[in-house]
Amino acid sequence: MSANKKRVAVAIGASAEAVYAIKQAQTLGFCTVAMDANPAAPGLSAADHQLVTDLRYAEQVCLSLEKEQLIPSVVIPVPVGRILTTAGAVNNHFHLSGVSADAAALVTDKCRFHLALAEAGLRDAQLTLLQTGTTALPAEMKDPNRYPLIIKPRYGAGSRGVRRCETEAEAAAALWAEDQSPLTEDYIAETCVTGMEYGVDGVYENGRFHLILLRQKRQTPPPYCQCVGYRAVVPGASQETDRLLAAIRDLMTQAGQILGLSTCPVHADVLADEQNLLSSRPFLIELSARPSGHHLHDLFTPMASGCDFITEYMKCAVPELALPWHFDVNNVRPLEIRYFDLPAGIVRAIPSPQDLRQLPGLVHYDCTLQPGQILTPVHEGHDLMDRGCYICEEIAPGCTERLNRFIRNSFLIESSQEAYL
């Protein structure tokens, strides 16, 4: 069937993490279009039509779709960074559901995001903007009472360049090389908020927020604090847990109103003190109007929540499909996803996947590591994602921790200076 006889769904960005949503759009009957500047992007071959174009230029993206007579009914939600603004512009241009251009600009700019929420009283951290070309710390970052600080690029995703700095010297070292060369991009430095860090998967539907899954993070120690795993938060586990879930829903509802989010999938990072929710509310670290990456939206979240919210969103966003949709989560499984944050060094031996998959409680195992491979230290999200992941279920108290230890002890890693070069 030709494209003009089927509704069109377009993916703005065609990385490997776009493949799942493209295929889900096809199961709904859409003719799919994948767009990317990289002609080798994996998502291109997954789609019915491929358009290689620079996604930074929204007007050109819209013109390309019109020229090819591929007028979209929906923008396929895929994990992207700053080009979310192009997805928003496409939504505006073709009058589609989804994140607007204005809202996308707010959530992809960490400085504007902070200012919008701080003005509404939803964010009480202090923020300093260090613009491109800066060569020295501003006066407020020389105040020892301002520390610890979280330093990160103003734009970017996947935990790129995030550092926790305890002192002025650490902040300077995180921002500049030894030659004190000018910054090549904008950075922000914000005062550190304490608490347990969580990931949020959800959907806004006409301004109403639906919480699909809350994920408690497992992180490396400072200064990098990189996420190496998530544990699903199960409603009803305790009164504190239910208060936490209610507080997250309330925070996300308010944030959505401030940021202008109407109908779109969303993921966010929040900090919360589960024991003190009566006196302090959760703190919204970041929010983006698109699904989470890192094997979450396509694997872990549907498995843990029972809701494939990406597919449900596309049905919701295109009423003309006349397909029933829902964002109901009736039962959260006690699952944990772990990435292979093994010690830096050379992989000398790996366990048999067939043997591991027989272990009670191990529900998914996918490892790409090979003997002889050099593992670098985990400083950013991309250091982990190509290694694969595994998912455990807490079928008995302490089961997932025992499985984690067993799996990780099954690898033989030889220490090597090569891993640090």
Side-chain angles (χ1 to χ4, degrees):
M1 185 180 291
S2 63
N4 60 1
K5 294 182 181 179
K6 298 177 72 174
R7 299 189 185 279
V8 173
V10 57
I12 310 296
S15 72
E17 291 191 310
V19 172
Y20 175 80
I22 291 171
K23 291 184 175 180
Q24 292 306 105
Q26 290 168 337
T27 66
L28 296 176
F30 286 106
C31 170
T32 56
V33 183
M35 307 183 75
D36 204 286
N38 176 11
L44 291 177
S45 59
D48 302 302
H49 297 269
Q50 303 80 33
L51 295 177
V52 178
T53 186
D54 193 331
L55 300 180
R56 294 174 298 175
Y57 303 103
E59 184 176 352
Q60 182 59 47
V61 168
C62 294
L63 287 173
S64 296
L65 290 168
E66 291 174 334
K67 180 181 178 181
E68 298 297 325
Q69 298 183 35
L70 295 168
I71 308 304
S73 295
V74 67
V75 172
I76 300 172
V78 298
V80 292
R82 196 174 179 183
I83 61 166
L84 183 68
T85 56
T86 298
V90 170
N91 286 330
N92 284 15
H93 184 83
F94 293 105
H95 308 289
L96 308 178
S97 291
V99 63
S100 68
D102 287 344
L106 272 179
V107 300
T108 55
D109 181 338
K110 297 179 180 67
C111 184
R112 289 186 61 197
F113 169 81
H114 167 81
L115 294 174
L117 293 182
E119 185 177 353
L122 279 190
R123 219 166 183 270
D124 53 7
Q126 296 176 294
L127 182 141
T128 298
L129 173 64
L130 298 103
Q131 295 181 309
T132 302
T134 301
T135 58
L137 295 176
E140 64 264 31
M141 290 182 65
K142 297 180 179 180
D143 179 359
N145 296 318
R146 195 75 176 264
Y147 290 82
L149 288 174
I150 304 297
I151 292 177
K152 52 191 171 183
R154 181 178 182 176
Y155 306 98
S159 302
R160 178 179 69 88
V162 179
R163 294 281 293 273
R164 174 181 168 127
C165 300
E166 304 290 338
T167 65
E168 175 186 344
E170 288 185 8
L175 288 163
W176 290 285
E178 292 182 4
D179 60 359
Q180 203 77 354
S181 55
L183 295 180
T184 57
E185 62 178 310
D186 288 0
Y187 279 79
I188 61 169
E190 62 182 21
T191 49
C192 186
V193 176
T194 60
M196 177 66 69
E197 190 165 338
Y198 296 84
V200 179
D201 292 313
V203 183
Y204 289 100
E205 175 233 335
N206 292 322
R208 178 188 177 194
F209 177 70
H210 300 267
L211 177 61
I212 304 299
L213 186 68
L214 185 67
R215 304 173 263 103
Q216 185 178 20
K217 293 190 179 187
R218 187 190 289 259
Q219 294 175 294
T220 62
Y224 298 103
C225 305
Q226 288 301 304
C227 183
V228 296
Y230 294 93
R231 179 181 63 83
V233 175
V234 179
S238 68
Q239 290 183 343
E240 290 80 10
T241 296
D242 288 345
R243 278 200 295 266
L244 172 64
L245 291 166
I248 297 284
R249 288 189 182 94
D250 183 60
L251 174 67
M252 294 294 291
T253 297
Q254 293 182 65
Q257 293 169 351
I258 294 163
L259 299 169
L261 300 173
S262 177
T263 299
C264 61
V266 65
H267 87 97
D269 296 319
V270 299
L271 285 165
D273 184 346
E274 195 170 322
Q275 303 302 318
N276 287 315
L277 287 173
L278 297 179
S279 59
S280 64
R281 66 181 170 210
F283 177 81
L284 187 54
I285 302 171
E286 293 182 14
L287 178 153
S288 190
R290 47 87 166 177
S292 52
H294 298 181
H295 310 298
L296 295 170
H297 79 282
D298 56 341
L299 176 64
F300 182 70
T301 296
M303 188 181 290
S305 69
C307 179
D308 183 350
F309 70 107
I310 298 305
T311 303
E312 297 302 315
Y313 162 76
M314 288 189 282
K315 292 191 288 187
C316 169
V318 187
E320 294 82 5
L321 291 175
L323 295 173
W325 52 268
H326 73 90
F327 299 119
D328 301 323
V329 176
N330 299 316
N331 183 42
V332 174
R333 294 172 64 184
L335 301 182
E336 180 174 348
I337 184 170
R338 285 299 305 271
Y339 309 110
F340 292 99
D341 53 307
L342 300 167
I346 302 174
V347 179
R348 290 305 183 195
I350 61 174
S352 163
Q354 291 76 19
D355 290 345
L356 290 180
R357 291 185 182 118
Q358 304 304 312
L359 296 173
L362 187 64
V363 297
H364 176 86
Y365 184 85
D366 177 26
C367 179
T368 66
L369 299 178
Q370 298 294 327
Q373 184 173 342
I374 297 176
L375 301 184
T376 58
V378 176
H379 292 167
E380 297 185 355
H382 70 76
D383 294 327
L384 282 176
M385 290 308 114
D386 291 339
R387 301 179 185 179
C389 65
Y390 61 93
I391 298 175
C392 305
E393 184 164 15
E394 186 83 340
I395 58 176
C399 167
T400 55
E401 280 303 315
R402 289 192 293 273
L403 271 173
N404 277 325
R405 287 196 297 271
F406 182 85
I407 291 171
R408 305 170 91 72
N409 289 339
S410 299
F411 288 84
L412 177 61
I413 312 296
E414 178 186 318
S415 180
S416 171
Q417 289 188 344
E418 289 182 76
Y420 296 89
L421 297 179

